[in-house]
Amino acid sequence: MGKRHTTGAAFTLIELLVALAIFSLAAAMSGGIFWSITKAWNRGGEMLEQLHYGEFAMEQLVTALRGAAWFPSRPEAFGFWLDPRGGTGSSAANEISWVTSGTAFLPPDSPYQHGLHRLSVTVDGSGEDRSLVVQAWPHLAEEVELGGVESWRVAPGVDGFSCEWYDFEEDRWSQDWEETNSLPKLVRVTLTMQKRKDFDESLELQRLVELEVAPDLPGGERRGRSDAREARRDAAEAAAEDAGTAGGGSSSAGETPDVEIQVDGGSRGGGR
């Protein structure tokens, strides 16, 4: 009997090429997904790191502002200072200074840990070295050369710092602070972190801080009196118009009735 020869099944060249193409496509898709996940993870880590530094600096700043001290016996020694360098832009370098009794921002070995002292907060440096910088010195010092006062970085990666105070007289936020022997009632502080190359926007932290020890400035009283005068004038003009309109149809058209207008001119409670 003759022998029968059988040939084993095998892949053709076309089948191998198709399989190789499918495998390459799957590998490319898997690599792209892995790369996207890794990039998102790194971006999230950078964001969390920035948020950590920013939140720490902001909490220290809020604590120090809430611990502000002010005494009417020597108001000039406890005044609030505001230098609005750069305005309120993302790279602003405002500088604020006030007297506080807290330990916020102070190193553990600072001699001001247990007493009143004046703090100064601003942004200094350039590029990656730009950060939030703090100085401290005795609050009763008559003249201080800030160049000779030790400064230290409290939060790296801070690109901008701005401060505004709420003007209750004008009902708006302002940076024009001239009351260097007093404190504002309400301030808004903003920290802008450095923009990362992979991020479209900068991380911005903002807080509203009420200074409970701030005195009531005369601005509130002036505003109350001004409002009262304007109310009296408006009421008098309205009464005169009404009297003139009614005079044409009354029997005593030539007489002008006496009008008594009483307006509460009390001071409003809001002060700077």
Side-chain angles (χ1 to χ4, degrees):
M1 295 179 65
K3 295 183 179 179
R4 298 176 63 183
H5 298 279
T6 59
T7 58
F11 293 104
T12 64
L13 179 61
I14 295 178
E15 291 174 335
L16 288 175
L17 291 176
V18 170
L20 181 61
I22 294 175
F23 177 78
S24 300
L25 181 61
M29 292 178 61
S30 301
I33 294 174
F34 178 77
W35 173 253
S36 299
I37 294 175
T38 303
K39 185 177 180 180
W41 181 272
N42 292 335
R43 290 183 61 183
E46 293 179 359
M47 178 68 74
L48 287 177
E49 182 181 8
Q50 275 198 332
L51 186 61
H52 170 73
Y53 285 123
E55 286 288 350
F56 170 78
M58 184 61 76
E59 290 302 323
Q60 292 287 302
L61 180 59
V62 170
T63 301
L65 284 169
R66 287 177 176 171
W70 188 87
F71 297 96
S73 58
R74 292 195 62 181
E76 69 281 357
F78 298 91
F80 181 84
W81 306 343
L82 170 59
D83 183 2
R85 294 194 303 261
T88 57
S90 59
S91 298
N94 292 184
E95 181 177 3
I96 59 175
S97 177
W98 71 101
V99 176
T100 181
S101 59
T103 60
F105 286 133
L106 296 179
D109 58 346
S110 173
Y112 308 116
Q113 281 276 350
H114 305 289
L116 294 173
H117 55 277
R118 178 171 285 276
L119 282 178
S120 172
V121 178
T122 187
V123 170
D124 194 17
S126 59
E128 296 182 355
D129 294 331
R130 193 169 176 84
S131 58
L132 195 68
V133 177
V134 174
Q135 292 177 298
W137 65 90
H139 69 290
L140 294 178
E142 295 294 337
E143 295 183 3
V144 177
E145 292 292 338
L146 295 182
V149 178
E150 180 185 4
S151 62
W152 59 93
R153 300 170 59 188
V154 295
V158 177
D159 190 50
F161 169 63
S162 64
C163 177
E164 303 165 272
W165 65 281
Y166 193 75
D167 189 344
F168 287 92
E169 184 177 355
E170 301 291 339
D171 286 336
R172 64 182 180 90
W173 291 100
S174 174
Q175 287 195 307
D176 299 327
W177 178 257
E178 299 178 356
E179 301 289 343
T180 55
N181 61 347
S182 187
L183 298 176
K185 280 285 189 182
L186 184 66
V187 296
R188 179 170 65 184
V189 289
T190 305
L191 291 177
T192 305
M193 308 304 291
Q194 289 183 357
K195 184 178 179 180
R196 300 288 184 174
K197 61 180 181 179
D198 294 332
F199 291 86
D200 297 330
E201 297 180 356
S202 301
L203 177 63
E204 185 177 276
L205 304 173
Q206 191 174 87
R207 296 288 189 278
L208 299 180
V209 187
E210 181 180 2
L211 280 64
E212 297 181 357
V213 298
D216 290 329
L217 297 180
E221 182 179 357
R222 290 198 303 268
R223 182 183 175 187
R225 294 178 179 177
S226 176
D227 291 346
R229 287 195 299 268
E230 292 180 1
R232 292 191 186 97
R233 184 173 63 251
D234 294 341
E237 292 176 356
E241 291 179 359
D242 293 341
T245 303
S250 64
S251 58
S252 55
E255 299 179 0
T256 301
D258 294 332
V259 179
E260 181 179 357
I261 303 172
Q262 183 176 359
V263 180
D264 184 10
S267 172
R268 296 192 178 183
R272 287 185 188 174

